[in-house]
Amino acid sequence: MKEKRVERVLKALEAMGLHQMLLTDPMSVYYLTGVQVMPFERFYGLYLRADGAHVFFLNRLFHVPEDLGIEKVWYSDTDPVMELVASRIDKEQVLGVDKELKAGFLLPLLELGAAKGFVLASSAADETRGVKDAEEQEKMRRSSRINDLAMAEFKKLIREGITEREVAEKMLKIYQSLGADGFSFDPLVAFGANAADPHHGPDDTAVQPGDCVLLDVGCIKDGYCSDMTRTFYFQKVSEEHRRIYDTVRRANEAAIARIRPGVPLCELDQAARELIEKEGYGPNFTHRLGHFIGLSEHEQGDVSSVNTKKAEAGMIFSIEPGIYLTGDTGVRVEDLVLVTEDGCEVLNQYSKELEIIG
């Protein structure tokens, strides 16, 4: 068990007036125990109690280390698993549950009267995960360093006639050659007008002179994700596209310049959005400014116009403004940032200056 992390979750539960919680999100369980299991349809849960009498519920098909410093309750596929779980829950207390608890498991607990009441308490784990400890911060730096190196290799793939799909198919091998364990998400490769779709998947479109080349990519290293977007232009760039690119880059930098503990996350979104609006492209910035990231590529929490939560030292999130002109072009410039005690550390070092490639 990662005792310091468990203590932080328990402290968050206490602030919510809760003394117990059932966690079923495999990534949150991994975060707290170091055990990584993909349970598929089977129940998999970590029960936390304020008095420290935690219980790990495991199917006999799962393989976990012997000495975890926590009681393990094993069950087989023919056992009444939710009755086993209910028997260990304090029936006199309200039970916090996370957003991943399936109805097929929650409803039997309700029918069994397993607790005095049930409340959604995902934030206790999610917000704890949102503030990275020193070990996590270093792993995030390593993952982003690999991403920087990979971006330099990816741009070399762009040549006349190559398709988005062909570029994407070469990326995994490059990541692995640099020490990555795999993708943190399927790469987004978009040429020209395809980049006007922020989530365009690679297809058989071939790059043409004057096209933008948008690469939104990330890898996993030691369990932690990276994510970065750079937009290049192939062989030449028009003056309007150059202006769009400069606007997005400056919006990225304006938001980063505002980051420090205590600043509401919505103000970061506002800093980028106001600059883009001033240049006349406000309606073309169609998404939030960023998302949290760590063990998962998208974690709970975002940098948006409605999130008034204040930045805290240890938070890591993306800053990724974009401008998208349907039928023409799309530009996004994305970095990951770590909030520090007096500002922020940008985890990506790959240049944000406009590059004409090919």
Side-chain angles (χ1 to χ4, degrees):
M1 291 283 282
K2 306 282 187 178
E3 295 297 342
K4 290 184 179 179
R5 296 177 185 177
V6 172
E7 288 173 11
R8 289 169 59 199
V9 172
L10 291 175
K11 186 175 180 180
L13 286 173
E14 182 181 10
M16 299 169 71
L18 296 173
H19 301 279
Q20 57 180 351
M21 181 176 186
L22 183 62
L23 277 164
T24 58
D25 178 354
M27 278 301 179
S28 289
V29 174
Y30 171 62
Y31 172 75
L32 296 174
T33 66
V35 173
Q36 193 159 24
V37 166
M38 292 306 295
F40 300 104
E41 77 278 8
R42 294 179 173 85
F43 181 79
Y44 177 63
L46 178 65
Y47 172 58
L48 300 179
R49 289 175 54 115
D51 62 6
H54 314 312
V55 182
F56 205 176
F57 295 97
L58 297 159
N59 188 284
R60 295 191 183 280
L61 294 175
F62 303 156
H63 296 279
V64 303
E66 288 292 328
D67 185 16
L68 289 175
I70 182 174
E71 180 185 0
K72 295 188 283 290
V73 171
W74 295 94
Y75 73 93
S76 71
D77 284 348
T78 56
D79 289 330
V81 58
M82 300 322 294
E83 291 181 17
L84 290 174
V85 175
S87 71
R88 307 307 293 269
I89 293 171
D90 186 345
K91 292 178 172 55
E92 302 304 314
Q93 297 285 345
V94 173
L95 177 69
V97 298
D98 69 11
K99 61 186 182 296
E100 299 298 325
L101 183 59
K102 297 178 180 178
F105 299 135
L106 174 59
L107 293 177
L109 290 177
L110 288 167
E111 292 169 357
L112 291 164
K116 186 177 180 180
F118 297 78
V119 297
L120 182 63
S122 281
S123 61
D126 292 341
E127 293 185 9
T128 298
R129 284 175 57 185
V131 179
K132 272 59 179 176
D133 58 31
E135 176 187 349
E136 293 180 288
Q137 291 174 26
E138 185 53 36
K139 288 181 177 180
M140 291 292 290
R141 290 188 186 98
R142 287 188 208 130
S143 189
S144 285
R145 280 197 291 268
I146 292 173
N147 218 18
D148 285 337
L149 295 171
M151 186 65 77
E153 298 302 313
F154 295 157
K155 75 174 184 180
K156 297 176 185 177
L157 298 172
I158 309 302
R159 54 175 171 74
E160 195 156 359
I162 198 166
T163 68
E164 296 168 347
R165 197 187 313 275
E166 287 171 334
V167 172
E169 287 172 348
K170 296 176 185 294
M171 287 179 164
L172 181 58
K173 186 174 181 180
I174 290 173
Y175 270 134
Q176 291 172 333
S177 73
L178 294 170
D181 301 321
F183 290 133
S184 54
F185 58 95
D186 290 338
L188 303 182
V189 180
F191 298 157
N194 288 344
D197 174 1
H199 283 163
H200 172 75
D203 62 22
D204 293 323
T205 300
V207 69
Q208 302 294 326
D211 277 351
C212 67
V213 175
L214 189 151
L215 305 178
D216 186 347
V217 294
C219 65
I220 295 177
K221 176 64 176 175
D222 297 328
Y224 283 79
C225 298
S226 57
D227 186 4
M228 173 174 59
T229 307
R230 291 293 183 266
T231 306
F232 308 97
Y233 274 86
F234 183 62
Q235 295 186 349
K236 61 183 181 178
V237 60
S238 71
E239 286 307 308
E240 183 184 10
H241 289 175
R242 187 183 293 275
R243 178 169 174 256
I244 290 170
Y245 184 91
D246 182 65
T247 299
V248 174
R249 177 186 56 77
R250 289 189 293 117
N252 168 282
E253 293 170 349
I256 289 173
R258 295 283 296 275
I259 300 172
R260 64 183 182 279
V263 173
L265 297 175
C266 57
E267 290 188 9
L268 308 181
D269 183 280
Q270 181 182 20
R273 202 166 298 277
E274 285 182 348
L275 191 150
I276 290 174
E277 289 172 349
K278 183 178 179 182
E279 295 296 329
Y281 294 105
N284 305 106
F285 180 14
T286 54
H287 54 74
R288 63 191 180 183
L289 181 63
H291 59 84
F292 280 53
I293 184 171
L295 289 169
S296 300
E297 189 267 327
H298 276 213
E299 294 194 338
Q300 190 71 19
D302 66 12
V303 184
S304 70
S305 60
V306 297
N307 190 352
T308 58
K309 185 175 179 62
K310 295 179 180 180
E312 296 179 46
M315 286 181 172
I316 296 179
F317 46 77
S318 67
I319 296 293
E320 49 180 303
I323 292 175
Y324 310 96
L325 302 183
T326 301
D328 183 6
T329 193
V331 173
R332 185 163 63 254
V333 177
E334 175 187 17
D335 294 306
L336 296 187
V337 295
L338 162 65
V339 182
T340 61
E341 294 295 338
D342 57 0
C344 79
E345 174 187 344
V346 181
L347 300 187
N348 298 108
Q349 300 302 312
Y350 192 89
S351 173
K352 289 183 278 196
E353 294 301 315
L354 175 60
E355 290 186 69
I356 299 174
I357 60 176

Short mmCIF file of all heavy atoms in Angstrom, two decimals, residues 17-66:
data_model
loop_
_atom_site.label_atom_id
_atom_site.label_comp_id
_atom_site.label_asym_id
_atom_site.label_seq_id
_atom_site.Cartn_x
_atom_site.Cartn_y
_atom_site.Cartn_z
N GLY A 17 -17.14 14.21 5.53
CA GLY A 17 -17.96 13.61 6.58
C GLY A 17 -18.12 12.11 6.44
O GLY A 17 -19.07 11.54 6.99
N LEU A 18 -17.18 11.46 5.73
CA LEU A 18 -17.27 10.01 5.48
C LEU A 18 -16.17 9.26 6.22
O LEU A 18 -15.06 9.76 6.40
CB LEU A 18 -17.15 9.73 3.98
CG LEU A 18 -18.27 10.29 3.10
CD1 LEU A 18 -17.94 10.08 1.63
CD2 LEU A 18 -19.60 9.63 3.45
N HIS A 19 -16.52 8.03 6.62
CA HIS A 19 -15.57 7.18 7.34
C HIS A 19 -15.20 5.93 6.55
O HIS A 19 -14.34 5.16 6.99
CB HIS A 19 -16.17 6.77 8.70
CG HIS A 19 -16.51 7.93 9.58
ND1 HIS A 19 -15.57 8.58 10.34
CD2 HIS A 19 -17.69 8.57 9.79
CE1 HIS A 19 -16.15 9.57 11.00
NE2 HIS A 19 -17.44 9.58 10.69
N GLN A 20 -15.84 5.74 5.38
CA GLN A 20 -15.54 4.55 4.60
C GLN A 20 -15.83 4.82 3.12
O GLN A 20 -16.66 5.65 2.77
CB GLN A 20 -16.36 3.35 5.09
CG GLN A 20 -17.86 3.56 5.08
CD GLN A 20 -18.64 2.35 5.58
OE1 GLN A 20 -18.09 1.27 5.79
NE2 GLN A 20 -19.94 2.50 5.76
N MET A 21 -15.12 4.06 2.28
CA MET A 21 -15.30 4.22 0.84
C MET A 21 -14.96 2.93 0.13
O MET A 21 -14.04 2.21 0.54
CB MET A 21 -14.42 5.35 0.30
CG MET A 21 -14.58 5.59 -1.20
SD MET A 21 -13.63 6.99 -1.83
CE MET A 21 -14.24 7.04 -3.53
N LEU A 22 -15.67 2.67 -0.96
CA LEU A 22 -15.40 1.51 -1.82
C LEU A 22 -14.91 2.04 -3.16
O LEU A 22 -15.65 2.71 -3.89
CB LEU A 22 -16.65 0.66 -2.00
CG LEU A 22 -16.49 -0.61 -2.82
CD1 LEU A 22 -15.49 -1.57 -2.16
CD2 LEU A 22 -17.84 -1.30 -3.01
N LEU A 23 -13.65 1.75 -3.48
CA LEU A 23 -13.04 2.20 -4.74
C LEU A 23 -13.02 1.04 -5.72
O LEU A 23 -12.56 -0.06 -5.39
CB LEU A 23 -11.61 2.66 -4.50
CG LEU A 23 -11.40 4.10 -4.01
CD1 LEU A 23 -10.00 4.27 -3.46
CD2 LEU A 23 -11.63 5.08 -5.14
N THR A 24 -13.49 1.28 -6.95
CA THR A 24 -13.47 0.24 -7.97
C THR A 24 -12.76 0.67 -9.25
O THR A 24 -12.63 -0.13 -10.18
CB THR A 24 -14.89 -0.22 -8.32
OG1 THR A 24 -15.65 0.90 -8.77
CG2 THR A 24 -15.57 -0.84 -7.10
N ASP A 25 -12.35 1.92 -9.33
CA ASP A 25 -11.60 2.41 -10.50
C ASP A 25 -10.22 1.75 -10.48
O ASP A 25 -9.43 1.98 -9.57
CB ASP A 25 -11.46 3.93 -10.42
CG ASP A 25 -10.66 4.51 -11.57
OD1 ASP A 25 -10.11 3.74 -12.38
OD2 ASP A 25 -10.56 5.75 -11.64
N PRO A 26 -9.91 0.90 -11.47
CA PRO A 26 -8.62 0.19 -11.46
C PRO A 26 -7.41 1.11 -11.35
O PRO A 26 -6.42 0.75 -10.72
CB PRO A 26 -8.63 -0.58 -12.78
CG PRO A 26 -10.07 -0.80 -13.09
CD PRO A 26 -10.74 0.47 -12.63
N MET A 27 -7.48 2.31 -11.96
CA MET A 27 -6.35 3.22 -11.89
C MET A 27 -6.19 3.82 -10.49
O MET A 27 -5.07 4.02 -10.02
CB MET A 27 -6.49 4.34 -12.93
CG MET A 27 -6.03 3.92 -14.31
SD MET A 27 -4.29 3.41 -14.32
CE MET A 27 -4.09 2.97 -16.04
N SER A 28 -7.30 4.09 -9.82
CA SER A 28 -7.21 4.60 -8.45
C SER A 28 -6.71 3.52 -7.50
O SER A 28 -5.94 3.79 -6.58
CB SER A 28 -8.57 5.13 -7.98
OG SER A 28 -8.91 6.32 -8.66
N VAL A 29 -7.15 2.27 -7.75
CA VAL A 29 -6.65 1.15 -6.94
C VAL A 29 -5.15 0.98 -7.15
O VAL A 29 -4.38 0.79 -6.20
CB VAL A 29 -7.41 -0.14 -7.28
CG1 VAL A 29 -6.79 -1.33 -6.54
CG2 VAL A 29 -8.89 -0.01 -6.92
N TYR A 30 -4.71 1.09 -8.40
CA TYR A 30 -3.27 1.00 -8.70
C TYR A 30 -2.51 2.13 -8.02
O TYR A 30 -1.43 1.92 -7.45
CB TYR A 30 -3.07 1.06 -10.21
CG TYR A 30 -1.63 1.19 -10.65
CD1 TYR A 30 -0.70 0.20 -10.36
CD2 TYR A 30 -1.20 2.31 -11.36
CE1 TYR A 30 0.63 0.31 -10.76
CE2 TYR A 30 0.12 2.43 -11.76
CZ TYR A 30 1.03 1.43 -11.46
OH TYR A 30 2.32 1.56 -11.85
N TYR A 31 -3.06 3.33 -8.06
CA TYR A 31 -2.45 4.50 -7.44
C TYR A 31 -2.20 4.28 -5.95
O TYR A 31 -1.18 4.70 -5.40
CB TYR A 31 -3.37 5.70 -7.66
CG TYR A 31 -2.99 6.96 -6.94
CD1 TYR A 31 -1.93 7.75 -7.37
CD2 TYR A 31 -3.72 7.39 -5.83
CE1 TYR A 31 -1.61 8.93 -6.73
CE2 TYR A 31 -3.41 8.57 -5.18
CZ TYR A 31 -2.35 9.34 -5.63
OH TYR A 31 -2.03 10.50 -4.98
N LEU A 32 -3.14 3.59 -5.28
CA LEU A 32 -3.06 3.41 -3.84
C LEU A 32 -2.34 2.13 -3.41
O LEU A 32 -1.84 2.05 -2.29
CB LEU A 32 -4.46 3.42 -3.23
CG LEU A 32 -5.22 4.74 -3.36
CD1 LEU A 32 -6.65 4.59 -2.85
CD2 LEU A 32 -4.51 5.87 -2.62
N THR A 33 -2.30 1.13 -4.28
CA THR A 33 -1.75 -0.18 -3.89
C THR A 33 -0.51 -0.59 -4.68
O THR A 33 0.25 -1.45 -4.22
CB THR A 33 -2.80 -1.29 -4.08
OG1 THR A 33 -3.08 -1.44 -5.48
CG2 THR A 33 -4.08 -0.98 -3.32
N GLY A 34 -0.33 -0.02 -5.87
CA GLY A 34 0.74 -0.49 -6.74
C GLY A 34 0.37 -1.74 -7.51
O GLY A 34 1.20 -2.30 -8.24
N VAL A 35 -0.88 -2.20 -7.36
CA VAL A 35 -1.36 -3.40 -8.04
C VAL A 35 -2.18 -2.98 -9.26
O VAL A 35 -3.11 -2.18 -9.14
CB VAL A 35 -2.24 -4.26 -7.11
CG1 VAL A 35 -2.85 -5.41 -7.89
CG2 VAL A 35 -1.41 -4.77 -5.94
N GLN A 36 -1.83 -3.52 -10.42
CA GLN A 36 -2.56 -3.19 -11.64
C GLN A 36 -3.27 -4.43 -12.17
O GLN A 36 -2.64 -5.41 -12.55
CB GLN A 36 -1.61 -2.64 -12.71
CG GLN A 36 -2.32 -1.97 -13.86
CD GLN A 36 -1.44 -1.01 -14.62
OE1 GLN A 36 -0.23 -1.14 -14.61
NE2 GLN A 36 -2.03 -0.05 -15.30
N VAL A 37 -4.59 -4.37 -12.16
CA VAL A 37 -5.44 -5.47 -12.62
C VAL A 37 -6.50 -4.89 -13.53
O VAL A 37 -7.07 -3.83 -13.23
CB VAL A 37 -6.10 -6.19 -11.42
CG1 VAL A 37 -7.23 -7.10 -11.91
CG2 VAL A 37 -5.08 -6.99 -10.64
N MET A 38 -6.77 -5.56 -14.63
CA MET A 38 -7.92 -5.20 -15.46
C MET A 38 -8.99 -6.25 -15.20
O MET A 38 -8.90 -7.38 -15.67
CB MET A 38 -7.53 -5.18 -16.94
CG MET A 38 -6.58 -4.04 -17.28
SD MET A 38 -7.18 -2.40 -16.77
CE MET A 38 -8.62 -2.24 -17.80
N PRO A 39 -10.02 -5.92 -14.42
CA PRO A 39 -10.97 -6.93 -13.96
C PRO A 39 -12.02 -7.34 -14.98
O PRO A 39 -12.72 -8.33 -14.77
CB PRO A 39 -11.63 -6.24 -12.77
CG PRO A 39 -11.55 -4.79 -13.09
CD PRO A 39 -10.26 -4.60 -13.82
N PHE A 40 -12.16 -6.57 -16.07
CA PHE A 40 -13.22 -6.83 -17.05
C PHE A 40 -14.57 -6.87 -16.32
O PHE A 40 -14.91 -5.94 -15.63
CB PHE A 40 -12.92 -8.08 -17.85
CG PHE A 40 -11.61 -7.97 -18.61
CD1 PHE A 40 -10.47 -8.62 -18.17
CD2 PHE A 40 -11.53 -7.16 -19.75
CE1 PHE A 40 -9.27 -8.48 -18.86
CE2 PHE A 40 -10.33 -7.02 -20.43
CZ PHE A 40 -9.19 -7.68 -19.99
N GLU A 41 -15.33 -7.95 -16.44
CA GLU A 41 -16.68 -7.95 -15.86
C GLU A 41 -16.69 -8.31 -14.37
O GLU A 41 -17.73 -8.19 -13.71
CB GLU A 41 -17.59 -8.92 -16.63
CG GLU A 41 -17.40 -10.40 -16.31
CD GLU A 41 -16.24 -11.05 -17.06
OE1 GLU A 41 -15.47 -10.31 -17.71
OE2 GLU A 41 -16.12 -12.29 -16.98
N ARG A 42 -15.57 -8.75 -13.84
CA ARG A 42 -15.54 -9.21 -12.44
C ARG A 42 -15.40 -8.05 -11.46
O ARG A 42 -14.83 -7.01 -11.78
CB ARG A 42 -14.41 -10.22 -12.24
CG ARG A 42 -14.63 -11.50 -13.02
CD ARG A 42 -13.48 -12.49 -12.83
NE ARG A 42 -13.79 -13.77 -13.45
CZ ARG A 42 -13.58 -14.06 -14.73
NH1 ARG A 42 -13.04 -13.14 -15.54
NH2 ARG A 42 -13.91 -15.24 -15.22
N PHE A 43 -15.90 -8.26 -10.24
CA PHE A 43 -15.79 -7.23 -9.22
C PHE A 43 -14.35 -7.13 -8.74
O PHE A 43 -13.66 -8.14 -8.53
CB PHE A 43 -16.71 -7.53 -8.02
CG PHE A 43 -16.64 -6.47 -6.97
CD1 PHE A 43 -17.32 -5.28 -7.13
CD2 PHE A 43 -15.85 -6.64 -5.84
CE1 PHE A 43 -17.23 -4.27 -6.18
CE2 PHE A 43 -15.76 -5.64 -4.88
CZ PHE A 43 -16.45 -4.45 -5.05
N TYR A 44 -13.93 -5.90 -8.54
CA TYR A 44 -12.57 -5.61 -8.07
C TYR A 44 -12.67 -4.35 -7.23
O TYR A 44 -13.06 -3.29 -7.73
CB TYR A 44 -11.68 -5.39 -9.29
CG TYR A 44 -10.25 -5.00 -9.03
CD1 TYR A 44 -9.37 -5.86 -8.37
CD2 TYR A 44 -9.74 -3.79 -9.50
CE1 TYR A 44 -8.04 -5.52 -8.19
CE2 TYR A 44 -8.41 -3.44 -9.32
CZ TYR A 44 -7.56 -4.31 -8.66
OH TYR A 44 -6.23 -3.98 -8.48
N GLY A 45 -12.38 -4.46 -5.95
CA GLY A 45 -12.61 -3.30 -5.10
C GLY A 45 -11.65 -3.17 -3.95
O GLY A 45 -11.15 -4.16 -3.39
N LEU A 46 -11.38 -1.92 -3.60
CA LEU A 46 -10.57 -1.58 -2.44
C LEU A 46 -11.45 -0.82 -1.47
O LEU A 46 -11.96 0.26 -1.80
CB LEU A 46 -9.37 -0.73 -2.87
CG LEU A 46 -8.44 -0.25 -1.75
CD1 LEU A 46 -7.75 -1.43 -1.06
CD2 LEU A 46 -7.41 0.74 -2.30
N TYR A 47 -11.65 -1.40 -0.29
CA TYR A 47 -12.50 -0.80 0.74
C TYR A 47 -11.61 -0.10 1.74
O TYR A 47 -10.75 -0.73 2.37
CB TYR A 47 -13.34 -1.90 1.40
CG TYR A 47 -14.13 -1.48 2.62
CD1 TYR A 47 -15.07 -0.45 2.54
CD2 TYR A 47 -13.97 -2.14 3.83
CE1 TYR A 47 -15.82 -0.09 3.65
CE2 TYR A 47 -14.71 -1.79 4.94
CZ TYR A 47 -15.64 -0.76 4.86
OH TYR A 47 -16.37 -0.41 5.96
N LEU A 48 -11.81 1.20 1.89
CA LEU A 48 -11.01 2.01 2.81
C LEU A 48 -11.85 2.41 4.01
O LEU A 48 -13.02 2.78 3.88
CB LEU A 48 -10.49 3.26 2.12
CG LEU A 48 -9.61 3.07 0.89
CD1 LEU A 48 -9.21 4.43 0.32
CD2 LEU A 48 -8.37 2.25 1.23
N ARG A 49 -11.23 2.35 5.20
CA ARG A 49 -11.91 2.74 6.44
C ARG A 49 -11.03 3.72 7.20
O ARG A 49 -9.80 3.63 7.18
CB ARG A 49 -12.15 1.53 7.33
CG ARG A 49 -13.21 0.57 6.83
CD ARG A 49 -13.27 -0.66 7.72
NE ARG A 49 -13.46 -0.34 9.13
CZ ARG A 49 -14.55 -0.67 9.84
NH1 ARG A 49 -15.53 -1.33 9.24
NH2 ARG A 49 -14.63 -0.38 11.10
N ALA A 50 -11.67 4.64 7.88
CA ALA A 50 -10.94 5.65 8.66
C ALA A 50 -10.06 5.03 9.73
O ALA A 50 -9.02 5.58 10.08
CB ALA A 50 -11.93 6.63 9.29
N ASP A 51 -10.47 3.84 10.26
CA ASP A 51 -9.68 3.20 11.32
C ASP A 51 -8.53 2.36 10.77
O ASP A 51 -7.82 1.70 11.53
CB ASP A 51 -10.58 2.36 12.23
CG ASP A 51 -11.27 1.22 11.49
OD1 ASP A 51 -10.96 0.99 10.30
OD2 ASP A 51 -12.13 0.54 12.11
N GLY A 52 -8.37 2.34 9.45
CA GLY A 52 -7.25 1.62 8.85
C GLY A 52 -7.51 0.15 8.56
O GLY A 52 -6.62 -0.54 8.06
N ALA A 53 -8.71 -0.34 8.84
CA ALA A 53 -9.03 -1.76 8.58
C ALA A 53 -9.48 -1.92 7.13
O ALA A 53 -10.62 -2.30 6.84
CB ALA A 53 -10.11 -2.23 9.55
N HIS A 54 -8.57 -1.68 6.22
CA HIS A 54 -8.88 -1.72 4.79
C HIS A 54 -8.97 -3.17 4.31
O HIS A 54 -8.35 -4.07 4.87
CB HIS A 54 -7.80 -0.98 4.00
CG HIS A 54 -7.42 0.34 4.57
ND1 HIS A 54 -8.35 1.29 4.96
CD2 HIS A 54 -6.19 0.90 4.82
CE1 HIS A 54 -7.73 2.36 5.41
NE2 HIS A 54 -6.42 2.14 5.35
N VAL A 55 -9.73 -3.37 3.23
CA VAL A 55 -9.91 -4.70 2.66
C VAL A 55 -9.80 -4.62 1.14
O VAL A 55 -10.37 -3.72 0.51
CB VAL A 55 -11.29 -5.30 3.04
CG1 VAL A 55 -11.42 -6.71 2.47
CG2 VAL A 55 -11.49 -5.31 4.55
N PHE A 56 -9.08 -5.58 0.56
CA PHE A 56 -8.91 -5.68 -0.89
C PHE A 56 -9.71 -6.90 -1.36
O PHE A 56 -9.44 -8.03 -0.95
CB PHE A 56 -7.42 -5.89 -1.19
CG PHE A 56 -6.97 -5.44 -2.55
CD1 PHE A 56 -5.63 -5.50 -2.88
CD2 PHE A 56 -7.85 -4.96 -3.51
CE1 PHE A 56 -5.17 -5.08 -4.12
CE2 PHE A 56 -7.41 -4.54 -4.75
CZ PHE A 56 -6.06 -4.60 -5.06
N PHE A 57 -10.73 -6.67 -2.20
CA PHE A 57 -11.57 -7.76 -2.71
C PHE A 57 -11.04 -8.21 -4.07
O PHE A 57 -10.94 -7.41 -5.01
CB PHE A 57 -13.03 -7.30 -2.84
CG PHE A 57 -13.66 -6.97 -1.52
CD1 PHE A 57 -13.73 -5.66 -1.08
CD2 PHE A 57 -14.17 -7.98 -0.71
CE1 PHE A 57 -14.31 -5.35 0.14
CE2 PHE A 57 -14.76 -7.68 0.52
CZ PHE A 57 -14.82 -6.36 0.95
N LEU A 58 -10.72 -9.51 -4.17
CA LEU A 58 -10.02 -10.02 -5.35
C LEU A 58 -10.60 -11.35 -5.83
O LEU A 58 -10.85 -12.25 -5.02
CB LEU A 58 -8.54 -10.24 -5.02
CG LEU A 58 -7.74 -8.99 -4.64
CD1 LEU A 58 -6.51 -9.38 -3.86
CD2 LEU A 58 -7.38 -8.20 -5.88
N ASN A 59 -10.80 -11.47 -7.12
CA ASN A 59 -11.15 -12.75 -7.71
C ASN A 59 -9.91 -13.64 -7.73
O ASN A 59 -8.78 -13.15 -7.91
CB ASN A 59 -11.66 -12.54 -9.14
CG ASN A 59 -12.23 -13.81 -9.74
OD1 ASN A 59 -11.49 -14.70 -10.14
ND2 ASN A 59 -13.55 -13.89 -9.81
N ARG A 60 -10.10 -14.93 -7.57
CA ARG A 60 -8.96 -15.86 -7.52
C ARG A 60 -8.18 -15.92 -8.84
O ARG A 60 -7.06 -16.44 -8.88
CB ARG A 60 -9.42 -17.25 -7.11
CG ARG A 60 -9.98 -17.30 -5.70
CD ARG A 60 -10.19 -18.71 -5.18
NE ARG A 60 -10.79 -18.69 -3.86
CZ ARG A 60 -10.11 -18.48 -2.72
NH1 ARG A 60 -8.80 -18.28 -2.78
NH2 ARG A 60 -10.74 -18.48 -1.56
N LEU A 61 -8.76 -15.38 -9.90
CA LEU A 61 -8.04 -15.31 -11.16
C LEU A 61 -7.03 -14.17 -11.22
O LEU A 61 -6.16 -14.15 -12.08
CB LEU A 61 -9.04 -15.16 -12.33
CG LEU A 61 -9.98 -16.34 -12.57
CD1 LEU A 61 -10.98 -15.98 -13.68
CD2 LEU A 61 -9.19 -17.58 -12.97
N PHE A 62 -7.17 -13.21 -10.29
CA PHE A 62 -6.25 -12.08 -10.29
C PHE A 62 -4.95 -12.47 -9.60
O PHE A 62 -4.95 -13.21 -8.61
CB PHE A 62 -6.87 -10.88 -9.56
CG PHE A 62 -8.19 -10.42 -10.12
CD1 PHE A 62 -9.09 -9.72 -9.33
CD2 PHE A 62 -8.55 -10.67 -11.44
CE1 PHE A 62 -10.31 -9.28 -9.82
CE2 PHE A 62 -9.76 -10.24 -11.95
CZ PHE A 62 -10.65 -9.55 -11.14
N HIS A 63 -3.85 -11.93 -10.10
CA HIS A 63 -2.54 -12.20 -9.50
C HIS A 63 -2.00 -10.91 -8.88
O HIS A 63 -1.82 -9.91 -9.58
CB HIS A 63 -1.57 -12.74 -10.55
CG HIS A 63 -1.97 -14.07 -11.12
ND1 HIS A 63 -1.73 -15.24 -10.47
CD2 HIS A 63 -2.63 -14.39 -12.28
CE1 HIS A 63 -2.21 -16.25 -11.20
NE2 HIS A 63 -2.76 -15.75 -12.29
N VAL A 64 -1.77 -10.95 -7.58
CA VAL A 64 -1.26 -9.77 -6.87
C VAL A 64 -0.13 -10.22 -5.95
O VAL A 64 -0.05 -11.39 -5.56
CB VAL A 64 -2.37 -9.08 -6.06
CG1 VAL A 64 -3.54 -8.68 -6.95
CG2 VAL A 64 -2.84 -9.96 -4.91
N PRO A 65 0.76 -9.29 -5.56
CA PRO A 65 1.84 -9.64 -4.65
C PRO A 65 1.30 -10.15 -3.31
O PRO A 65 0.22 -9.74 -2.86
CB PRO A 65 2.60 -8.32 -4.47
CG PRO A 65 2.27 -7.53 -5.69
CD PRO A 65 0.86 -7.91 -6.04
N GLU A 66 2.06 -11.04 -2.67
CA GLU A 66 1.64 -11.63 -1.40
C GLU A 66 1.55 -10.58 -0.29
O GLU A 66 0.57 -10.50 0.43
CB GLU A 66 2.61 -12.74 -0.99
CG GLU A 66 2.51 -14.00 -1.83
CD GLU A 66 1.19 -14.73 -1.62
OE1 GLU A 66 0.66 -14.66 -0.49
OE2 GLU A 66 0.70 -15.34 -2.58
#
